[in-house]
Amino acid sequence: LWNRAADEEITEPQWTPSVTKPFAYTTGSTMTVNVLMTSEDVTDAVDIRYTVGGTWRNSLGEIKGTPYSVDKDTGHGSFPYSLAHQTTALDSVMDYRLDQSYDFYVRKSSADEWCYADEGNATHPQVYLTFGQLIGPWGPSANPRGCWSRVVKNACEWMPETGYTAQYEREAMKRLAYKAYMSSGVTYDGNRSHYVLLPDETNPTSRRFNCWHFITDLDQYADCQDMSLWWEMLCHSLGTSAYAQRIDGPFTTKPILPVGGSSWGSYPWNFHHIGWDNAVFDPCVEVNQSSPRVPQDEGINNPYKTDIYNSGTWNPLGGFALGGTDPFLNLPTEVN
């Protein structure tokens, strides 16, 4: 099941005619694209000019926003010479395709006419817009990377087709909790988890969330730890801070419907993991059978505890983010 070749790391924006790697940048910011011109024929200092046009298309192929154009020239310089232009990001969060066309000109001095030099075209098939800088870790710790395209692709595709402006970051967190429950394709199994002790249970020195296994396992199982940490990573892939929290037990639940389940029932739990950011985001369950909901951005005692807790011990621990310390065993954490 381990197949790194099927995964792609999110890269820095770049312009090459054959670019295939996905990249991302944040809403309301600008993207700078450096265009490097080289020539074996021109050896003296020259002026360089280029014009570029670009068109954004969403995942449905529809043109979004207004196609942009840039006409830019440099001061006197010599080859190789790096040119830059900036384009304003679309103010939404989802995946896009960007088509660009370039025309290049040179002249020996400001008194000369521009001479047409070359043209170029580029298609960037995977461009993701985010709320902020992608939040790590994206490990393992021995081989850290920027971000995995599989995770940010899920997060962006689960946004509304119209996207979200930056002021709706909290709404995006709520939607990710709902979509992780409804669309993850996993089935709850409280006896198995992708959140494991390293090197083993008898000598634990750290904890690792095997996220890549979680999103590629053929048997598609998940426990509450998986779901809360998966939601956290979805949020982190969009540059939104999020955490997990353990509620220690044991306790019994009121009737709930775990992710992937087909019938409501009560469960005896030694503990439960939730997504957390000063409120509960729980992509593992639906609660309140008479009016079902996936808990999103709600108080931990009311309404969450009111609708999930029946009897026993209810002891919420401190929240933590992957890469930090899990307070239950006081162990460092990582993601793989």
Side-chain angles (χ1 to χ4, degrees), residues 267-327:
Y267 289 78
W269 280 344
N270 290 321
F271 67 92
H272 185 53
H273 246 237
I274 56 175
W276 179 254
D277 185 32
N278 295 314
V280 175
F281 298 81
D282 190 353
C284 187
V285 297
E286 276 191 310
V287 298
N288 192 358
Q289 188 173 7
S290 62
S291 182
R293 73 176 189 282
V294 178
Q296 306 161 47
D297 201 13
E298 60 185 48
I300 192 170
N301 290 315
N302 186 30
Y304 183 71
K305 181 181 178 182
T306 300
D307 286 336
I308 196 172
Y309 171 82
N310 183 42
S311 63
T313 299
W314 180 271
N315 181 30
L317 304 182
F320 72 97
L322 287 166
T325 299
D326 185 328

Side-chain angles (χ1 to χ4, degrees), residues 151 154 158 173-190 192-196 208-211 213-217 219-236 242-246 256-261 269 271-276 280-286 294-295 304 308 320 322:
V151 180
N154 274 149
W158 284 347
M173 297 170 70
K174 292 162 63 174
R175 182 171 174 86
L176 287 176
Y178 175 79
K179 293 294 289 187
Y181 174 84
M182 299 298 296
S183 305
S184 62
V186 299
T187 300
Y188 175 76
D189 185 341
R192 294 188 291 175
S193 181
H194 296 85
Y195 188 48
V196 299
R208 173 184 288 175
F209 177 42
N210 286 318
C211 181
H213 279 209
F214 170 70
I215 59 181
T216 57
D217 274 354
D219 48 12
Q220 296 291 289
Y221 68 87
D223 75 340
C224 59
Q225 297 172 112
D226 293 338
M227 295 306 295
S228 63
L229 295 173
W230 168 233
W231 171 80
E232 177 188 315
M233 291 197 68
L234 289 168
C235 293
H236 284 185
Y243 309 90
Q245 184 176 55
R246 178 183 173 115
I256 58 174
L257 183 61
V259 61
W269 280 344
F271 67 92
H272 185 53
H273 246 237
I274 56 175
W276 179 254
V280 175
F281 298 81
D282 190 353
C284 187
V285 297
E286 276 191 310
V294 178
Y304 183 71
I308 196 172
F320 72 97
L322 287 166

Side-chain angles (χ1 to χ4, degrees), residues 109-126:
S109 71
S110 59
D112 296 323
E113 296 292 328
W114 286 107
C115 178
Y116 184 74
D118 202 355
E119 65 181 14
N121 294 280
T123 295
H124 307 268
Q126 299 173 79

Side-chain angles (χ1 to χ4, degrees), residues 115-142:
C115 178
Y116 184 74
D118 202 355
E119 65 181 14
N121 294 280
T123 295
H124 307 268
Q126 299 173 79
V127 184
Y128 300 111
L129 308 186
T130 67
F131 288 112
Q133 188 71 27
L134 310 178
I135 299 172
W138 300 85
S141 56

